[in-house]
Amino acid sequence: MHRVTTAELQQHGANGDDQYVRVSITEPQKMGEGMGAYMAYRVSTQTNMQFYKKSNFSVYRRFSDFLGLHDKLTEKYLRSGRIIPPAPEKSMIGSTKIKMSNQSDQGASADFIERRRAALERFINRTANHPILRVDPDFRDFLESELELPKATNTSALSGAGVIRLFNKVGETVNKITYKMDESDSWFEEKVQQVENLDAQLKNMLTRVEALVYQRRELSQCTASFGKSVAMLSNCDEHNSLSRALSQLAEVEEKVEHVYAEQCIADFGILCELLKDYVALVGAIKDVFHERVKVYQNWQHAQVVLNKKREAKAKFEIMGRTDKINQANDEVVEWESKVERGQEEFENISRMIKKELERFELVRIQEFKVTLINYIESLMQNQQQLIQIWESFLPEAKAIA
């Protein structure tokens, strides 16, 4: 059964042309030892775009390079209303485990590394699928430059810059609450409410799926315990056919446990990760909404200053202060230009957000469709395995005499 990959899923139907950039993240490697250690990933790209030097190429990038790329794209494009795909959050606990792990306990961090690898792959392919971001020079350098990228200074969770970054995020959150504007566009009024509702429902569903993963894991563990108890019972039962059936049942329960464990992995890897991504993507949409409010505030501030400059000019004219009139007139012209630029910027970011949200909806529907199909297929496959397991055991149970 073919399961659609991240790159295929995100490329499918998202762009109106035949050009593509497909990226795979593989071969995570621990570089260095102790607190100076870090993970490097092989970033392999396939493309038919002339913008890139080759059609197939690979480089190695560390986790902080991904965060640095996200920061650069945000700095360039957020102000214009582009929705920047969110990068995976830096985990202080997970990173510390990787740094301090050795050959004997690398298995403890293997699951974390795989989840991060998959999250990085989704982030890069979402970026590669964006018609503007995929031709950004910094994105191209990230994918194909064989030189080591400049070290990102504000991505470390333990650094002073990382702490400042955290406080800045808190400050931005407060600003999003305090910034207000009189919305005159009914489209935005409706969309803001829709996004808030989507955010709440995604977070609610994520909580439920996480509970499902936990319960499925518990079921797998309880099934294993039950199988061991049945095996112990079969060893002390003197009835031959019953003892044999119980022994077979113990083996069946072990197989069932593996099926439950696989379904638990599917619950997390398919559903949970998708929902986490979309909670973060909705956060990115809220960021562009907030940026629009900031642009509006700047425009209105310029309008207020312009009014004051006009009043000052009028007073100078009434008072006959010819020595002040020329300067006042220059200031009025200057602020009239700022008001015009502010209005133009507000109209531009509003148009861009509408365009970006239209694209977001198309991609979201397709991505949820493909993910649900993959998830249903995994459920059906596991249920079929369970039926086969129990059908093979049934004759042994009936043979008890």
Side-chain angles (χ1 to χ4, degrees):
M1 182 184 299
H2 172 67
R3 181 166 293 168
V4 179
T5 65
T6 301
E8 291 172 332
L9 185 150
Q10 292 173 0
Q11 289 281 342
H12 181 72
N15 290 311
D17 55 35
D18 295 327
Q19 294 184 320
Y20 64 85
V21 180
R22 299 189 185 113
V23 187
S24 60
I25 310 296
T26 57
E27 302 177 20
Q29 300 177 18
K30 181 181 176 181
M31 312 295 287
E33 295 295 335
M35 292 306 294
Y38 62 90
M39 293 300 300
Y41 303 84
R42 182 182 176 89
V43 181
S44 302
T45 305
Q46 292 181 329
T47 181
N48 63 355
M49 296 183 66
Q50 298 299 317
F51 180 74
Y52 293 89
K53 297 175 183 177
K54 300 178 181 179
S55 59
N56 290 274
F57 44 90
S58 297
V59 294
Y60 280 91
R61 295 287 180 253
R62 57 190 298 173
F63 180 70
S64 60
D65 292 333
F66 290 84
L67 299 186
L69 172 65
H70 177 264
D71 287 348
K72 289 177 183 177
L73 296 177
T74 300
E75 184 178 349
K76 286 184 183 179
Y77 298 104
L78 179 62
R79 182 78 177 181
S80 64
R82 299 286 183 188
I83 299 173
I84 312 301
E89 288 289 334
K90 181 133 188 169
S91 170
M92 189 181 300
I93 296 175
S95 298
T96 303
K97 283 183 178 179
I98 292 174
K99 292 176 185 294
M100 303 310 296
S101 64
N102 51 42
Q103 293 291 349
S104 61
D105 60 4
Q106 277 187 354
S109 57
D111 186 49
F112 170 79
I113 293 173
E114 170 55 26
R115 291 202 305 271
R116 171 173 281 185
R117 182 210 62 77
L120 291 172
E121 187 173 88
R122 292 193 300 273
F123 159 63
I124 287 297
N125 277 291
R126 283 197 172 96
T127 306
N129 198 41
H130 193 287
I132 301 302
L133 302 183
R134 67 180 178 180
V135 293
D136 177 83
D138 284 316
F139 184 62
R140 179 180 62 183
D141 287 345
F142 178 89
L143 292 181
E144 69 179 7
S145 176
E146 296 181 0
L147 300 176
E148 185 175 341
L149 298 178
K151 184 173 174 58
T153 57
N154 63 339
T155 57
S156 173
L158 299 175
S159 68
V163 174
I164 293 174
R165 192 183 188 200
L166 176 61
F167 279 110
N168 286 340
K169 284 186 177 181
V170 174
E172 281 292 299
T173 303
V174 173
N175 286 338
K176 289 174 186 177
I177 297 173
T178 56
Y179 271 48
K180 301 293 181 182
M181 66 175 285
D182 297 325
E183 185 58 73
S184 58
D185 190 326
S186 60
W187 186 92
F188 274 99
E189 193 171 12
E190 181 181 336
K191 281 297 177 183
V192 167
Q193 189 57 51
Q194 287 179 358
V195 168
E196 289 292 342
N197 293 338
L198 179 62
D199 186 37
Q201 294 307 318
L202 284 171
K203 289 177 178 176
N204 179 60
M205 186 174 177
L206 176 59
T207 300
R208 300 293 179 254
V209 173
E210 286 175 339
L212 176 64
V213 171
Y214 175 79
Q215 294 294 334
R216 195 95 69 180
R217 187 180 295 118
E218 285 284 300
L219 177 60
S220 175
Q221 294 171 351
C222 289
T223 301
S225 298
F226 174 67
K228 291 176 182 177
S229 298
V230 172
M232 294 174 66
L233 178 61
S234 69
N235 290 332
C236 64
D237 198 301
E238 297 181 355
H239 194 285
N240 289 337
S241 61
L242 179 57
S243 176
R244 185 171 61 252
L246 290 174
S247 178
Q248 290 287 329
L249 178 59
E251 294 178 7
V252 165
E253 292 295 339
E254 183 178 353
K255 295 176 182 178
V256 170
E257 175 215 345
H258 290 317
V259 174
Y260 288 156
E262 288 176 3
Q263 188 57 55
C264 178
I265 293 172
D267 291 339
F268 186 89
I270 299 178
L271 276 187
C272 233
E273 295 294 83
L274 174 76
L275 293 170
K276 285 181 180 178
D277 282 356
Y278 269 88
V279 167
L281 280 166
V282 169
I285 294 174
K286 288 183 174 182
D287 287 342
V288 295
F289 282 162
H290 176 54
E291 199 67 28
R292 177 175 175 268
V293 174
K294 287 165 64 176
V295 171
Y296 175 82
Q297 293 284 354
N298 291 337
W299 172 30
Q300 294 306 302
H301 170 71
Q303 185 66 62
V304 170
V305 174
L306 174 60
N307 291 339
K308 291 180 179 179
K309 296 297 182 183
R310 284 172 173 169
E311 290 173 3
K313 177 187 173 185
K315 287 179 181 179
F316 292 142
E317 289 174 342
I318 293 172
M319 295 169 62
R321 296 289 302 274
T322 56
D323 58 321
K324 295 285 187 180
I325 291 176
N326 287 338
Q327 180 182 350
N329 188 62
D330 290 341
E331 291 178 350
V332 168
V333 172
E334 177 188 352
W335 282 96
E336 282 177 343
S337 177
K338 289 183 179 180
V339 168
E340 289 177 3
R341 289 199 301 270
Q343 181 178 1
E344 183 181 3
E345 187 177 4
F346 180 72
E347 292 172 350
N348 287 341
I349 192 175
S350 297
R351 283 194 296 269
M352 182 59 68
I353 291 174
K354 290 180 179 181
K355 183 178 179 181
E356 286 283 293
L357 277 176
E358 181 181 359
R359 178 182 175 276
F360 168 80
E361 280 300 309
L362 291 174
V363 174
R364 181 178 71 89
I365 292 169
Q366 184 63 33
E367 195 162 358
F368 267 77
K369 173 186 175 181
V370 175
T371 300
L372 286 174
I373 290 173
N374 281 342
Y375 182 65
I376 292 169
E377 286 178 345
S378 75
L379 281 173
M380 293 173 61
Q381 185 176 3
N382 287 331
Q383 290 300 318
Q384 289 168 358
Q385 288 183 36
L386 288 174
I387 291 172
Q388 292 173 0
I389 290 170
W390 288 114
E391 282 182 341
S392 64
F393 171 71
L394 185 60
E396 189 69 36
K398 290 181 176 180
I400 299 174

